[in-house]
Amino acid sequence: PPLTSPQRPHATMPHPSHVVVFGPESTGKTTLAGDLAAHYATTWAPEYLREYLERKGGACTPDDLPHVVAGQRASVARAAAQACRVVISDTDPLMTLVYSRWYYGEVPAWLADEVNASPPDLYLLLDVDVPWVPDAQRDEPGHRQELLDACVTALEERHRRYVWIRGTWDE
């Protein structure tokens, strides 16, 4: 069914459904999140980490993770306050957990707790079947499949509901 009501197409809800676009870097998460929000006339929360690192002017460290998770949660809360039945986000703390394990070899206990605090309703898991598009913050072109496998493991270990998204950019 459509996500907007014919009677009140822009009505907001106190607790909209939360959908997270999820997966390795350079799989189209940001583009898909924005396109879905536009299609369903709702709001979306971009990846806070990008904004944070642009302001910081350097690489992410373990000390940055609490700021990144808090910033993403705040971004989702702002988007949810204006959402029409569903809010879409371009990442969540579970992706931060995957990257923490990948880059730093560990997951802080507070991050594991944060992942379990308020899971989204659905994940859209993007496959690595589209071409790599480089940018200043992407650094793992040769490891996208391994990162995808880590994403699947993280979702399945936590029994999270997810749907695979596969195909070309246009598809």
Side-chain angles (χ1 to χ4, degrees):
L3 295 179
T4 57
S5 164
Q7 296 84 15
R8 296 176 47 194
H10 298 289
T12 60
M13 296 176 60
H15 301 288
S17 295
H18 183 194
V19 174
V20 174
V21 184
F22 194 75
E25 57 189 16
S26 193
T27 54
K29 294 182 299 292
T30 300
T31 300
L32 182 59
D35 288 352
L36 287 171
H39 177 80
Y40 290 109
T42 192
T43 56
W44 71 288
E47 180 183 22
Y48 180 76
L49 176 63
R50 283 192 164 273
E51 174 188 331
Y52 180 84
L53 291 180
E54 285 172 12
R55 279 196 322 268
K56 179 182 175 184
C60 189
T61 69
D63 291 338
D64 294 319
L65 297 181
H67 304 289
V68 170
V69 169
Q72 188 67 36
R73 287 273 193 221
S75 180
V76 171
R78 284 190 301 276
Q82 300 299 314
C84 182
R85 296 186 61 191
V86 64
V87 63
I88 315 246
S89 60
D90 179 0
T91 193
D92 79 335
L94 184 55
M95 194 73 236
T96 305
L97 181 145
V98 169
Y99 278 117
S100 178
R101 185 173 287 137
W102 179 263
Y103 284 106
Y104 313 124
E106 64 182 7
V107 175
W110 70 264
L111 181 53
D113 291 343
E114 184 68 26
V115 165
N116 295 326
S118 56
D121 299 293
L122 177 67
Y123 286 89
L124 301 179
L125 177 62
L126 277 64
D127 204 340
V128 293
D129 55 354
V130 293
W132 171 266
V133 178
D135 77 14
Q137 293 184 9
R138 295 179 180 153
D139 65 354
E140 293 291 343
H143 297 282
R144 291 196 308 162
Q145 184 60 54
E146 292 97 329
L147 283 165
L148 178 61
D149 294 344
C151 289
V152 171
T153 297
L155 290 166
E156 291 184 351
E157 284 177 348
R158 289 159 186 81
H159 307 287
R160 299 292 167 86
R161 187 171 159 225
Y162 69 97
V163 174
W164 280 96
I165 305 295
R166 296 183 169 118
T168 66
W169 296 116
D170 291 336
E171 289 170 339

